[in-house]
Amino acid sequence: MSPAPCTVRPASEEPSTTPTEEVSAHVMSRRTERGLRATFAAAAVMTVIGTSSGPAAAQPAESDAVKQYEELSEQAEKLNDDLLKAQEDLTAKQGELDRANADLASAEQALGGAKADEEQFRGRVDLLTEATFEGARFNQLSALLVSDSQQDFLERMSALDLLAADNAESLDRLGAAVAQADDARANAEDARNRAGQAADDAAKLNDDLGKRKTDLDGRIGELRKAMNRLSSTEKSNLGFGQVKDTGSYLGPLGAANTALQTALGKRGSQYQWGGNGPAAFDCSGLTKFAYAAAGVTLPRVAVDQYRVGKPVSQDQLQPGDLVFYDDGTGNPAAIHHVAIYVGEGKMVDAPTEGQLVDVRPLRGDGHYIGARRVVG
């Protein structure tokens, strides 16, 4: 095939640039377009970042606020339990002091009586001893020699027998009185020592109680500041001021269900540090109140309630079982929260300040450590 003939353009149609220059211009144009697009894209990104920098920065702050609120709640709850335990210890020690003082008063009274008996019988023995000494030679032979008649002799011999018997009895009673007085002295001394030790221990516990109360008040103050930093949405999500679960839950017949229904009946109650009800509670105050309604007495604090009943694995939980949470260490001594299992993977509890008694997921703060079945 022969090549196509060359076409000669008129002068007015001649290209103003060479092919090489035309290609270069096209490349530069494309580069400029891409550069402008990149510039506009960067400007758009900067605009988006600039306009959204407020909310983007606020979200972590909100999360931090929630995290701080929960951490401070956990710390305050542990301090609250420590304070309640110290109050129990102080009450027990004061009871021990009262008993020791009562024992001391009784022992001192017994000692006084024993000493009086000792003095009484000691005086009687002294008199009899003196009489015996003065009539030491008044024996059977002398009685016979000085007697005017057989009847007189018999009377003198009877008097001697009575004197000897009375002396022996008085000696026995004196010995018993002395022993009783010695025991009373020992008991009084023991009671005095116990009372003194109990008084010292009570004073130390009272000082410790004051320090724990100061620590708790300080942590509650921090917690309330953290609460003020929560957004309205965060407060709503946490359950501030509202009951979110009004469902019905049933447990096995008996005390467990009675306790469960009592706790459920307290939904909407305020949280109160050290609250025992009937209008406001802390976590262990609610469980203790609920089981008391069923005729079962629980210890006051969560860590002690963990020792009641028998352990239950999580897959064997029944409504009415107590569920416990620690600080994440897996150490039962670090238990700081307790609730009542309601079924369906949920629990009813008094969570912390700001939140109401309500039904919540069993996962709680994520530090589930175990459960106890109080009855059944």
Side-chain angles (χ1 to χ4, degrees), residues 228-276:
N228 291 334
R229 288 192 287 270
L230 296 173
S231 69
S232 58
T233 300
E234 288 170 333
K235 289 181 179 180
S236 176
N237 291 338
L238 289 167
F240 277 46
Q242 58 183 323
V243 172
K244 292 193 169 186
D245 190 325
T246 58
S248 298
Y249 302 90
L250 292 175
L253 292 177
N257 187 57
T258 300
L260 173 61
Q261 300 309 318
T262 300
L264 289 171
K266 290 301 177 179
R267 280 179 287 192
S269 297
Q270 294 287 340
Y271 184 92
Q272 180 182 13
W273 301 104
N276 295 301

Side-chain angles (χ1 to χ4, degrees), residues 32-302:
T32 301
E33 182 181 349
R34 285 197 302 269
L36 288 173
R37 281 204 305 267
T39 300
F40 287 135
V45 170
M46 291 302 294
T47 301
V48 171
I49 293 175
T51 57
S52 63
S53 59
Q59 185 59 38
E62 290 175 354
S63 297
D64 288 346
V66 172
K67 182 178 179 181
Q68 186 180 36
Y69 165 75
E70 291 176 343
E71 288 177 350
L72 287 169
S73 294
E74 181 178 317
Q75 294 168 13
E77 197 165 20
K78 184 67 173 66
L79 289 173
N80 182 58
D81 268 12
D82 290 345
L83 176 63
L84 291 172
K85 184 65 174 174
Q87 288 174 336
E88 284 192 331
D89 291 344
L90 178 58
T91 300
K93 190 59 64 176
Q94 287 173 333
E96 184 179 328
L97 174 60
D98 292 341
R99 289 190 297 273
N101 283 329
D103 290 346
L104 177 58
S106 177
E108 288 181 337
Q109 183 178 3
L111 176 59
K115 288 172 69 176
D117 289 344
E118 181 183 355
E119 292 301 320
Q120 176 187 351
F121 293 119
R122 188 179 300 280
R124 178 114 180 126
V125 167
D126 289 344
L127 289 174
L128 290 170
T129 301
E130 183 180 351
T132 302
F133 177 76
E134 290 177 351
R137 287 181 291 181
F138 189 67
N139 52 28
Q140 291 185 3
L141 177 59
S142 62
L144 179 61
L145 292 175
V146 300
S147 295
D148 295 331
S149 64
Q150 183 178 3
Q151 183 63 38
D152 185 31
F153 171 75
L154 292 175
E155 290 175 354
R156 289 177 183 274
M157 287 302 299
S158 179
L160 285 172
D161 290 341
L162 287 173
L163 185 63
D166 196 8
N167 197 23
E169 181 184 358
S170 295
L171 283 170
D172 289 343
R173 296 182 71 176
L174 173 61
V178 170
Q180 185 178 8
D182 288 342
D183 289 343
R185 288 188 188 92
N187 290 337
E189 185 64 24
D190 176 65
R192 190 175 293 108
N193 290 336
R194 285 190 291 111
Q197 184 63 53
D200 291 343
D201 292 343
K204 291 177 182 177
L205 284 171
N206 195 52
D207 289 343
D208 181 60
L209 191 65
K211 293 176 182 176
R212 291 183 185 278
K213 182 68 168 61
T214 299
D215 290 343
L216 175 60
D217 289 344
R219 202 58 48 90
I220 291 174
E222 294 175 20
L223 173 62
R224 288 171 179 168
K225 291 178 181 177
M227 288 170 58
N228 291 334
R229 288 192 287 270
L230 296 173
S231 69
S232 58
T233 300
E234 288 170 333
K235 289 181 179 180
S236 176
N237 291 338
L238 289 167
F240 277 46
Q242 58 183 323
V243 172
K244 292 193 169 186
D245 190 325
T246 58
S248 298
Y249 302 90
L250 292 175
L253 292 177
N257 187 57
T258 300
L260 173 61
Q261 300 309 318
T262 300
L264 289 171
K266 290 301 177 179
R267 280 179 287 192
S269 297
Q270 294 287 340
Y271 184 92
Q272 180 182 13
W273 301 104
N276 295 301
F281 304 87
D282 62 14
C283 67
S284 55
L286 176 65
T287 52
K288 181 177 175 63
F289 180 88
Y291 265 96
V296 179
T297 300
L298 293 180
R300 179 57 183 86
V301 297

